[in-house]
Amino acid sequence: MSTTTLAEPCTEATADTLAAFADAWNRHDIDALMSFVTDDCVFHAVAGPELFGKSFEGRDAVRTGFQLAWQTFPDAAWLDGEHFVCGDRGVSESTFCGTKADGTRIEARMVDVFTLRDGRIAVKNAYRKDRPPVAKTA
C-alpha cells in the first residue's frame, strides 16, 4: 500500500504578505512595494498591446510599471481586499477605484495572480473587469 504525501509549500509568503503588499499600493509607497518582489520580478499590467497586457521585466522596469498606475490614477485605491496563498501561487481580489486627470473614474473588481518564490513575489499578473467609466467627479 502506498501513501501520497503533499509536498511542502514552495514559499514562505502568506495571505498576510499579500495584504501588506496591497497596503503598500494604497499608501502609494514604491519602496515598500519593491521590498516584496524578487530581483527578476515580472509585472503584467491590466492593459497593453501584448497578450499579457503590458509586461515589465526586472526590478527597474517593474518599479516603472508600478508607478505608472499612480501617474495614470493619482488617487488609485484597491479596496475590500481578500487574499490567499496556496503553495507557490497567490491571489488578491479587490475593487480598484481611480480617477484620471480628465475626470474619468474607474471602479471595477480586479484580481492579481501571483507566482511566489522564497517568500517574495516573482510575478504579478493583474486582471480587471472591463467596465465603462463611472460618472465624472466634480
Side-chain angles (χ1 to χ4, degrees):
M1 179 171 115
S2 68
T3 60
T4 303
T5 59
L6 296 175
E8 289 296 315
C10 300
T11 181
E12 304 149 21
T14 66
D16 289 338
T17 304
L18 298 182
F21 184 69
D23 288 342
W25 273 102
N26 284 323
R27 291 192 315 273
H28 296 206
D29 186 341
I30 191 64
D31 292 327
L33 281 180
M34 297 309 296
S35 74
F36 287 93
V37 301
T38 62
D39 287 339
D40 62 345
C41 55
V42 176
F43 168 45
H44 301 296
V46 296
E50 303 159 13
L51 179 63
F52 285 94
K54 171 85 173 126
S55 295
F56 301 87
E57 297 185 25
R59 289 186 70 79
D60 291 341
V62 167
R63 183 183 195 94
T64 297
F66 286 175
Q67 289 174 314
L68 282 174
W70 302 317
Q71 291 168 8
T72 305
F73 298 96
D75 63 346
W78 293 260
L79 308 174
D80 305 318
E82 296 181 42
H83 317 278
F84 73 86
V85 170
C86 184
D88 66 352
R89 301 304 295 267
V91 173
S92 290
E93 185 177 353
S94 63
T95 299
F96 172 78
C97 300
T99 310
K100 292 183 179 181
D102 69 0
T104 303
R105 181 146 180 88
I106 302 294
E107 291 180 12
R109 289 298 285 174
M110 70 167 291
V111 172
D112 284 320
V113 178
F114 299 99
T115 302
L116 308 166
R117 187 174 64 243
D118 299 326
R120 292 184 174 211
I121 296 166
V123 178
K124 178 186 186 296
N125 197 352
Y127 299 87
R128 185 170 66 217
K129 295 289 185 181
D130 187 14
R131 182 179 182 207
V134 295
K136 287 186 177 185
T137 58

